[in-house]
Amino acid sequence: MSFEELSAALKSGSGMQRAQSAQNLGKLKDRRAIQLLMTALGDKSSAVRNNAAFALAELGATESVPGIIPLLKDPEEWVRKSAAKSLGLLHAGGAVNDLIGALGDSSYMVRKNVARSLGQIGGDAAKKALERAVSDTDKIVAHTAKEALKKLGG
């Protein structure tokens, strides 16, 4: 589908069509999609929010970081996971404190992606948080935190 067709579907399609359009807009690598995807971060469909956050990361849209950060507290764990992953891919230094807060998320999947993202972003605060996260009760999260620390040279 063309940019125009995907844009139209993102604005007025069914929830599934909007989610698919958000995903495909990221794959197009067309920066005209950034504003549309930033608007989609507030969509009523969790699948759309999820795909929009990741698509913005695929586009390298660092300007979207302030819109992605609130998704770390989304009711849906898949959205929180994608937000955490996207912030890492965007090397969102301004999101470190929010990511550190998300290390307390009830979902191991979210915590794992937060740990990975903190390793991608780096810095003293991220390193200290990862040092604590190696004691996470979930072995996957603890392992991811250890790997992230290694990447940071810690």
Side-chain angles (χ1 to χ4, degrees), residues 103 107-116 130 133-148:
L103 277 173
S107 167
Y108 85 90
M109 190 171 52
V110 174
R111 296 193 312 276
K112 178 185 102 163
N113 279 278
V114 167
R116 183 184 302 129
L130 287 167
V134 298
S135 300
D136 194 282
T137 56
D138 186 277
K139 291 179 184 179
I140 295 171
V141 177
H143 175 76
T144 303
K146 286 177 195 166
E147 292 298 311

Side-chain angles (χ1 to χ4, degrees), residues 68-74 80 83-84 87 95 98-99 102 105 110 114:
I68 295 173
I69 289 173
L71 296 182
L72 290 171
K73 295 182 179 183
D74 195 271
R80 297 192 308 273
L87 292 167
D98 296 286
L99 285 164
D105 196 279
V110 174
V114 167

